[in-house]
Amino acid sequence: MATLSFNTARIQTPSLPRILRSSSFTKPIKTTLSSSESLSKRGRFVSRSLPESSLSIAKEETFIKQEEVNEVEEDDPTSELSYLDPETDAEGIKEWELDFCSRPILDSRGKKIWELVVCDASLSLQVTKYFANNVINSITLKDAIVSITQDLGVPLPEKIRFFRSQMQTIISKACKELAIKSVPSKRCLSLFLWLQERYDTVYTRHPGFQKGSLPLLSLDNPFPMNLPENLFGEKWAFVQLPYSAIKEEISCFEEKFVFGASLDLDLLGVEVDENTLIPGLSVASSRAKPLAAWMNGLEVCSIEADSSKGCLILAVGISTRYVYATYKKTPVTTDEAEAWESAKKASGGLHFLAIQDDLDSDDCVGFWLLIDLPPPPV
């Protein structure tokens, strides 16, 4: 499955379907999902108990038939995984998602086992490696990254995204020595889903699993800061688009948007009715293109309407949160902010940010499709 991205070399002026709005606050219509679960795993995770030779196309020219996979009675939770989809162009995998952290598993010394988990956004690449806690450093990580490229015949990536601020020094140093750009970001959605799946199907079955063990490196959620001046817009409005229109925008994302980011909704398993209105935030500025360019380098994660404080919170990177906009608290504005958040939950966490020259324009210069996902349990 291809990962949606944007190509600034051949993008023209974007054009969105008409954004429905009647005022600076547009009250979203309440909707329900077509399924009781807003996200469902797509079966893209690979069995961990397959022979290593069958998981590396660098060593094996043929791949295991599905009938043979089904014969595997039970996955071995202590084994490691090294997999590259044989139908994937290895040269096309230019960005990785990476986690390097302890797991709720004890080794024979009674110490927590560490694990390296690597994938790409489409889960065509999936690698796991276990490590003792006394070898955790940038050299170990660098060597592991190199070994992945050698074992699977994939090139070093151009970027590696990671979501734990506590590991930034080690990951950044390892990447720098390999001329890889390290990107702190919570837009590691495939990795988030895979870690949840591994917790449910691997870690809990490991003989050293420690039930109730808290993550050693928890995710930060700091107090929001003031917004930098270069990120200020001039006007904003709550807006909404039908889910069908959102999918149309994604289908031609590369051709339409210079700035922004998309999501692989098929991989995420989002199940929303076609007519469901997806809530978003439209920001207008006379300097829309520079504003969108600045926003493009921030790894925009999500937007939250905090009705208790009368403000909007913009989350970017790993743990940076900004007070993106404020409004006067009244019963009406509070109801509208709460309705916007309710619509976001009803659509499985989907929402978007659009940057425009004018709120009444049909066009925008930046478009970010966003989703709220709970952090992985490890």
Side-chain angles (χ1 to χ4, degrees):
M1 184 178 298
T3 303
L4 296 170
S5 60
F6 52 94
N7 184 346
T8 58
R10 61 182 182 88
I11 298 173
Q12 301 177 355
T13 304
S15 176
L16 272 176
R18 184 69 177 178
I19 295 179
L20 307 175
R21 79 178 186 88
S22 59
S23 65
S24 59
F25 286 91
T26 299
K27 190 171 184 177
I29 297 174
K30 293 183 179 180
T31 54
T32 58
L33 300 183
S34 58
S35 170
S36 59
E37 294 183 354
S38 60
L39 292 175
S40 61
K41 298 182 180 67
R42 305 295 295 178
R44 298 295 303 276
F45 306 110
V46 178
S47 170
R48 285 149 298 284
S49 60
L50 299 178
E52 183 179 354
S53 60
S54 69
L55 298 174
S56 172
I57 64 170
K59 299 178 180 178
E60 190 75 38
E61 294 181 353
T62 60
F63 57 92
I64 292 182
K65 297 180 180 180
Q66 187 61 44
E67 294 82 4
E68 296 174 359
V69 175
N70 293 336
E71 291 178 359
V72 178
E73 294 183 357
E74 187 177 25
D75 296 340
D76 180 4
T78 65
S79 65
E80 297 178 338
L81 174 65
S82 179
Y83 171 80
L84 178 67
D85 186 341
E87 297 182 358
T88 296
D89 177 14
E91 296 294 327
I93 301 178
K94 300 183 182 300
E95 298 184 6
W96 292 3
E97 299 176 8
L98 179 151
D99 186 38
F100 194 33
C101 188
S102 66
R103 300 298 182 232
I105 301 170
L106 299 184
D107 60 17
S108 59
R109 302 171 301 139
K111 304 295 183 180
K112 276 192 174 183
I113 292 175
W114 281 62
E115 183 186 43
L116 173 65
V117 175
V118 170
C119 66
D120 71 323
S122 69
L123 291 174
S124 299
L125 171 70
Q126 299 179 40
V127 177
T128 67
K129 293 178 181 290
Y130 288 124
F131 295 91
N133 71 334
N134 57 358
V135 296
I136 304 306
N137 52 55
S138 62
I139 297 175
T140 296
L141 179 57
K142 181 189 72 173
D143 292 344
I145 292 173
V146 172
S147 72
I148 292 173
T149 65
Q150 295 173 343
D151 293 344
L152 293 177
V154 297
L156 286 172
E158 296 175 359
K159 295 180 181 179
I160 289 182
R161 285 183 172 84
F162 64 96
F163 64 89
R164 297 190 199 270
S165 58
Q166 300 94 334
M167 296 301 296
Q168 184 160 357
T169 299
I170 288 178
I171 295 175
S172 298
K173 185 175 181 181
C175 288
K176 183 177 180 180
E177 293 182 5
L178 295 172
I180 300 171
K181 182 179 181 181
S182 59
V183 182
S185 173
K186 285 184 180 177
R187 288 187 72 93
C188 302
L189 302 182
S190 297
L191 182 59
F192 274 30
L193 292 178
W194 191 19
L195 287 174
Q196 177 67 61
E197 189 269 351
R198 285 187 63 75
Y199 182 85
D200 295 337
T201 65
V202 179
Y203 306 146
T204 55
R205 294 176 44 248
H206 195 287
F209 176 68
Q210 299 295 299
K211 185 176 181 179
S213 177
L214 296 176
L216 178 63
L217 304 177
S218 59
L219 299 188
D220 299 327
N221 193 33
F223 192 79
M225 304 181 296
N226 292 330
L227 189 70
E229 289 186 6
N230 60 307
L231 299 180
F232 271 98
E234 295 164 8
K235 296 179 181 179
W236 64 272
F238 285 141
V239 294
Q240 51 196 350
L241 280 174
Y243 181 60
S244 58
I246 291 288
K247 292 198 297 183
E248 289 177 8
E249 293 307 309
I250 292 175
S251 67
C252 52
F253 195 86
E254 289 186 351
E255 289 78 19
K256 299 191 72 169
F257 298 107
V258 176
F259 305 111
S262 183
L263 297 173
D264 191 331
L265 297 179
D266 183 47
L267 178 66
L268 292 172
V270 177
E271 296 182 358
V272 181
D273 184 84
E274 294 287 304
N275 298 320
T276 297
L277 292 174
I278 306 302
L281 184 73
S282 178
V283 176
S285 172
S286 57
R287 42 185 286 280
K289 285 187 177 180
L291 176 60
W294 277 105
M295 194 70 70
N296 205 48
L298 294 181
E299 291 290 312
V300 179
C301 301
S302 65
I303 297 172
E304 172 191 353
D306 188 340
S307 57
S308 65
K309 295 182 174 61
C311 66
L312 306 180
I313 306 298
L314 174 71
V316 302
I318 293 181
S319 57
T320 302
R321 301 172 75 227
Y322 293 122
V323 177
Y324 196 41
T326 60
Y327 58 88
K328 184 178 180 180
K329 286 183 61 177
T330 68
V332 173
T333 58
T334 296
D335 287 346
E336 290 170 342
E338 291 176 350
W340 189 85
E341 278 292 325
S342 295
K344 187 169 63 170
K345 293 178 181 178
S347 61
L350 274 180
H351 56 297
F352 63 89
L353 169 66
I355 294 182
Q356 304 176 275
D357 293 303
D358 187 276
L359 291 181
D360 293 320
S361 173
D362 290 341
D363 300 331
C364 67
V365 297
F367 186 88
W368 289 261
L369 186 58
L370 311 171
I371 190 169
D372 287 341
L373 280 184
V378 291

